[in-house]
Amino acid sequence: MPRSLLFAAGALLTAALAAPAAAATGLAGAPPPFDKGGVKVALVNYISAGDFFQAYSTGAQRQAQALGIDLRIFEGKQDAAEQREQIERAISLGVQGIIVNHGLPESIKDEVQKALDAGIKVVAFDVDVDNPKVPQVEQSDHELARVALAAALATNGDHFKAGYVYVAGFAPLDRRDEVWRETKAAHPGIVELAQWGVVDSTTAASVANQTAAVLRAHPDIQVVFAPYDEFARGVKLAADEAGYDKKLRIYSADISTSDIEAIREPDSPWVATAATNPAVVGEVSVRALALLLAGQDPGHSVLVKPVLISRDDLEKNDIHNVEELATKLRAFGHSDAAQAAWIPTAE
Ligand code: SR1
């Protein structure tokens, strides 16, 4: 079999294996098409690796199951060409809806338009396909960055030497970057000594390697703004190895159980993060698409609000994992975004 066919067969198999049985019976009291069941939807990812994206996918599956949706998941490998092909494949599978999770806008806009032209409803999470028919789900990224940077200013004052981890071209990182620039402009005592970053299949390890070189060149960095947990994990790894743990403070975005463990380590330089529950964001994405499929309007911008999580909060409230965080902090464990009375709660 040619390589391309083998690949296509493998990807379809991944999608098929990920699909729960479609509810043939439908949901009592729900609007069409959910009243009859058999609704087929695709989740097309640009990135699947890492805690955030794993939890996002789990949340999407949970909400899909509650709605009786047959959800086909396409694995993301940070490959723009592959994501285009996956949207094509979703269209030919005959899905009624597609969730596009991250991606490079220029490489998928026309594919999204093709799906819309075929009568397929589309929702985008963290990628701006610049189309009024496509609702945008996001984690209020401006607020997320503001909250994390407010924590940095509260502890470190507004005169410090900073490092910044950033990769342009990802909508959430670009929005967080706007706030970082505003913050530096408002507080000229913040001096950015270095900027670095990479997003690949091993982001934390790659950022750790870069950070080691940065810290050798700029041992006087006091604060690192790393607004993606894979970035923060990489910075922490390098700081630990170089013995910087008491000199450096890391402020980030996102949270997972392994992040909580890393933040709670004695003398951890990772002191605070601003985050939503990624599983809840996955649920919200599926609900927004379900509303569209039912002819209801989720709004063009569907926002999930972040909360600040500091090491002190985790210790004081005896929180060791994401489940405990969700139970003890309702604003983290729950979102009212894209809700309707007929949509069952994800279990
Ligand atoms: C490469 S973009 C990474 C970000 O996407 C999601 O918005 C997560 O919050 C993560 O920080």
Side-chain angles (χ1 to χ4, degrees), residues 256-280:
S256 69
T257 292
S258 66
D259 296 344
I260 291 175
E261 285 162 6
I263 293 170
R264 290 197 60 156
E265 276 174 25
D267 292 327
S268 173
W270 192 353
V271 291
T273 189
T276 64
N277 183 340
V280 170

Side-chain angles (χ1 to χ4, degrees), residues 48-99:
S48 291
D51 293 349
F52 181 94
F53 294 101
Q54 296 289 314
Y56 174 86
S57 184
T58 302
Q61 288 176 73
R62 271 204 308 249
Q63 186 65 69
Q65 200 155 19
L67 277 158
I69 290 174
D70 172 358
L71 182 69
R72 308 294 172 106
I73 299 181
F74 291 84
E75 189 104 353
K77 295 181 187 141
Q78 298 88 230
D79 182 330
E82 192 172 333
Q83 195 184 26
R84 283 179 64 82
E85 281 174 29
Q86 290 175 336
I87 297 176
E88 287 274 349
R89 266 185 253 134
I91 296 171
S92 47
L93 273 176
V95 298
Q96 285 129 292
I98 299 178
I99 299 166

